[in-house]
Amino acid sequence: MKYIRQFGIILSVTCAGELLKYLIPLPIPASIYGLVLLFGLLLFKVIRLDQVKDAGEFLIEIMPLMFIPPAAGLLVSWEQMRGMLVPLCVIIPVTTCLVMFATGKVTDFMLKHKEP
């Protein structure tokens, strides 16, 4: 029952993010609205971490499975992507390195300024 409640909270916040997407005319994905909303709710202690932690950890554990359908979709659209192969082979490693660098810097900053 605990997991159902936790998934329900996460699903409710996700649905609120979808509603915000339709109410706010900005080119921001609904998932980002949901993440920011959940972060704010956790930050202001409207939702406690233990109310969503177990379900969140489960979702993170199964995240690699969520990439299988999009990867299969890429195989189907191979003919359309063939003309973009060189730019993709440059952009993907460069942006991956930039994301890893930025994540490392943010993590270092957070660890240095962590409350004891």
Side-chain angles (χ1 to χ4, degrees):
M1 193 67 180
K2 175 176 83 169
Y3 289 106
I4 294 173
R5 187 178 329 114
Q6 290 185 9
F7 278 117
I9 292 170
I10 293 172
L11 185 61
S12 299
V13 172
T14 303
C15 288
E18 290 286 339
L19 288 173
L20 286 174
K21 167 75 172 132
Y22 290 109
L23 295 175
I24 302 173
L26 294 174
I28 298 173
S31 59
I32 301 301
Y33 283 119
L35 285 172
V36 171
L37 184 60
L38 183 60
F39 176 71
L41 292 171
L42 287 167
L43 184 66
F44 294 114
K45 297 183 180 16
V46 176
I47 296 175
R48 293 185 322 274
L49 182 59
D50 64 345
Q51 290 178 303
V52 294
K53 184 176 181 179
D54 296 326
E57 287 176 349
F58 172 74
L59 291 171
I60 289 172
E61 287 175 9
I62 66 165
M63 189 183 297
L65 289 175
M66 301 302 142
F67 289 103
I68 293 173
L74 288 176
L75 293 176
V76 171
S77 59
W78 173 251
E79 289 300 320
Q80 296 167 342
M81 292 177 46
R82 189 180 301 226
M84 301 183 294
L85 190 58
V86 172
L88 285 174
C89 287
V90 172
I91 291 170
I92 291 172
V94 169
T95 56
T96 301
C97 290
L98 286 173
V99 168
M100 289 189 323
F101 176 77
T103 303
K105 288 297 181 184
V106 169
T107 303
D108 283 344
F109 176 80
M110 297 294 283
L111 289 175
K112 287 179 185 174
H113 294 87
K114 182 179 177 183
E115 294 180 19

